[in-house]
Short mmCIF file of all heavy atoms in Angstrom, two decimals:
data_model
loop_
_atom_site.label_atom_id
_atom_site.label_comp_id
_atom_site.label_asym_id
_atom_site.label_seq_id
_atom_site.Cartn_x
_atom_site.Cartn_y
_atom_site.Cartn_z
N TRP A 471 84.85 106.03 110.42
CA TRP A 471 86.22 105.57 110.41
C TRP A 471 86.59 104.91 111.73
O TRP A 471 86.29 105.42 112.83
CB TRP A 471 87.17 106.73 110.16
CG TRP A 471 88.54 106.25 109.85
CD1 TRP A 471 89.64 106.27 110.67
CD2 TRP A 471 89.01 105.73 108.63
NE1 TRP A 471 90.69 105.73 110.07
CE2 TRP A 471 90.33 105.42 108.80
CE3 TRP A 471 88.42 105.41 107.45
CZ2 TRP A 471 91.12 104.78 107.83
CZ3 TRP A 471 89.15 104.78 106.41
CH2 TRP A 471 90.49 104.56 106.57
N THR A 480 87.13 94.32 111.59
CA THR A 480 85.63 93.95 111.63
C THR A 480 84.97 94.67 110.45
O THR A 480 84.14 94.14 109.73
CB THR A 480 85.05 94.41 112.98
OG1 THR A 480 85.53 93.72 114.03
CG2 THR A 480 83.54 94.18 112.83
N PHE A 571 88.17 105.39 93.01
CA PHE A 571 87.38 106.27 92.13
C PHE A 571 86.04 105.64 91.80
O PHE A 571 84.98 106.26 91.56
CB PHE A 571 88.10 106.77 90.89
CG PHE A 571 89.31 107.64 91.13
CD1 PHE A 571 90.19 107.87 90.11
CD2 PHE A 571 89.57 108.18 92.34
CE1 PHE A 571 91.30 108.76 90.35
CE2 PHE A 571 90.63 109.01 92.62
CZ PHE A 571 91.52 109.31 91.59
N TYR A 576 86.70 101.89 100.33
CA TYR A 576 86.56 103.04 101.20
C TYR A 576 87.83 103.89 101.20
O TYR A 576 87.78 105.13 101.48
CB TYR A 576 86.31 102.60 102.67
CG TYR A 576 85.02 101.74 102.86
CD1 TYR A 576 84.99 100.69 103.72
CD2 TYR A 576 83.82 102.10 102.14
CE1 TYR A 576 83.83 99.98 104.00
CE2 TYR A 576 82.67 101.37 102.35
CZ TYR A 576 82.69 100.28 103.22
OH TYR A 576 81.52 99.56 103.53
N PRO A 593 86.01 113.92 89.16
CA PRO A 593 84.52 114.03 89.04
C PRO A 593 83.74 112.97 89.85
O PRO A 593 82.69 113.34 90.52
CB PRO A 593 84.27 113.84 87.56
CG PRO A 593 85.55 114.36 86.90
CD PRO A 593 86.63 113.92 87.78
N LYS A 596 83.80 114.31 93.54
CA LYS A 596 83.31 115.58 93.85
C LYS A 596 81.96 115.61 94.64
O LYS A 596 81.10 114.91 94.25
CB LYS A 596 83.24 116.48 92.61
CG LYS A 596 83.18 117.99 92.95
CD LYS A 596 83.71 118.79 91.72
CE LYS A 596 83.84 120.25 92.20
NZ LYS A 596 84.51 121.01 91.13
N GLY A 624 117.62 121.87 97.00
CA GLY A 624 119.14 122.00 97.36
C GLY A 624 119.76 122.90 96.34
O GLY A 624 119.24 123.22 95.25
N LYS A 628 128.51 123.85 93.11
CA LYS A 628 129.32 124.41 92.07
C LYS A 628 128.68 125.57 91.30
O LYS A 628 129.12 125.97 90.25
CB LYS A 628 129.83 123.36 91.09
CG LYS A 628 130.81 122.35 91.72
CD LYS A 628 131.36 121.38 90.69
CE LYS A 628 132.30 120.36 91.33
NZ LYS A 628 132.80 119.32 90.36
N LYS A 633 124.73 134.05 94.94
CA LYS A 633 123.86 134.92 95.52
C LYS A 633 122.40 134.88 95.14
O LYS A 633 121.52 134.96 95.90
CB LYS A 633 124.42 136.38 95.28
CG LYS A 633 125.68 136.67 96.14
CD LYS A 633 126.07 138.07 95.97
CE LYS A 633 127.36 138.42 96.81
NZ LYS A 633 127.76 139.86 96.70
N LEU A 672 90.03 114.63 110.10
CA LEU A 672 90.15 113.32 110.77
C LEU A 672 91.45 113.24 111.48
O LEU A 672 91.57 112.68 112.53
CB LEU A 672 89.88 112.15 109.79
CG LEU A 672 89.85 110.76 110.41
CD1 LEU A 672 88.50 110.67 111.09
CD2 LEU A 672 89.76 109.69 109.23
N PRO A 686 109.54 105.84 107.52
CA PRO A 686 110.79 105.03 107.77
C PRO A 686 111.85 105.17 106.66
O PRO A 686 113.06 105.15 106.93
CB PRO A 686 110.18 103.60 107.83
CG PRO A 686 108.79 103.81 108.20
CD PRO A 686 108.36 105.09 107.61
N THR A 708 100.70 86.85 99.26
CA THR A 708 100.63 85.70 98.54
C THR A 708 100.87 84.47 99.27
O THR A 708 100.71 83.25 98.79
CB THR A 708 101.67 85.74 97.35
OG1 THR A 708 103.04 85.79 97.90
CG2 THR A 708 101.44 86.93 96.52
#
Side-chain angles (χ1 to χ4, degrees):
W471 193 258
T480 298
F571 292 170
Y576 299 142
K596 198 154 188 176
K628 296 182 179 180
K633 289 187 177 180
L672 192 64
T708 60

